DNA sequence: CTACTGACTGATC
DNA sequence: TGATCAGCCAGTA
């Protein structure tokens, strides 16, 4: 299974109100250093996708931290969607990652990916 | 195969 | 606290 497919599959099953950061997704997929690749996979998603990509954020609970050349509107849109799921941002655009972080084992991930 | 790029991170300054 | 630099991986030319 291609890396992007794994990313999409995992992100697709993130419960509402739950969050995962890029690094975490990379770890769950077996490549702790592949955070950038995760971002690349999400960037390839079509505009009207059903995948809850907004539930994947930067490591400190910050959206649209770096990069974001082609998708300057994503930051505001992502934050808006997260707030609609009950996540509260502070004035700086951050939110506590821990309380929302989706805890799941590598075994569960394998089950999700069907491996 | 090499070079460049990017929804990332962590260390440094 | 905030800006920079340097490694990371996968995809594309």
């Amino acid at each position: 299974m291609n890396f992007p497919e794994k990313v999409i599959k995992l992100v697709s099953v993130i419960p509402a109100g739950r969050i995962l950061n890029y690094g975490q997704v990379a770890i769950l997929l077996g490549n702790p250093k592949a955070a950038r690749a995760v971002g690349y996979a999400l960037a390839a998603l079509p505009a009207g996708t059903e995948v809850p990509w907004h539930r994947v954020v930067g490591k400190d609970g910050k959206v649209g931290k770096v990069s974001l050349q082609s998708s300057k509107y994503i930051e505001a849109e992502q934050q808006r969607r997260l707030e609609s799921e009950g996540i509260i941002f502070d004035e700086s655009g951050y939110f506590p990652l821990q309380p929302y972080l989706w805890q799941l084992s590598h075994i569960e991930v394998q089950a999700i990916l069907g491996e």
Side-chain angles (χ1 to χ4, degrees), chain A residues 1-9 25-26 29-31 34-39 41:
Chain A
M1 183 177 280
N2 299 321
F3 194 80
E5 292 181 55
K6 293 183 183 177
V7 175
I8 304 306
K9 206 153 190 170
V25 173
L29 293 182
N31 298 301
R36 300 192 66 161
V38 173

Side-chain angles (χ1 to χ4, degrees), chain A residues 42-61:
Chain A
L42 293 182
L45 288 171
T49 181
E50 302 172 29
V51 180
W53 49 266
H54 56 281
R55 296 183 187 138
V56 181
V57 303
K59 71 172 232 2
D60 295 317

Side-chain angles (χ1 to χ4, degrees), chain A residues 1-2 10 14 23-24 29-31 34 39 56 59 61 78 90 98 100 106 113 115:
Chain A
M1 183 177 280
N2 299 321
L10 183 57
I14 300 178
Q24 192 63 42
L29 293 182
N31 298 301
V56 181
K59 71 172 232 2
Q78 182 167 22
D90 62 21
Q98 279 299 0
Y100 304 105
H106 188 265
L113 297 179
E115 291 181 356

Side-chain angles (χ1 to χ4, degrees), chain A residues 10 20 23 28 42 58 64 67 89 92 99:
Chain A
L10 183 57
L20 231 44
L28 292 173
L42 293 182
S67 302
F89 286 79
S92 306

Side-chain angles (χ1 to χ4, degrees), chain A residues 16-89:
Chain A
R18 289 311 198 134
I19 290 306
L20 231 44
N21 63 47
Y22 296 98
Q24 192 63 42
V25 173
I27 292 173
L28 292 173
L29 293 182
N31 298 301
K33 314 274 186 78
R36 300 192 66 161
V38 173
Y40 187 91
L42 293 182
L45 288 171
T49 181
E50 302 172 29
V51 180
W53 49 266
H54 56 281
R55 296 183 187 138
V56 181
V57 303
K59 71 172 232 2
D60 295 317
K62 168 71 173 175
V63 297
K65 180 176 157 191
V66 294
S67 302
L68 286 186
Q69 252 186 53
S70 58
S71 44
K72 308 176 182 62
Y73 68 96
I74 290 298
E75 181 175 353
E77 176 64 14
Q78 182 167 22
Q79 181 171 330
R80 190 188 68 74
R81 293 198 188 192
L82 290 176
E83 291 182 322
S84 72
E85 293 185 357
I87 293 177
I88 311 300
F89 286 79

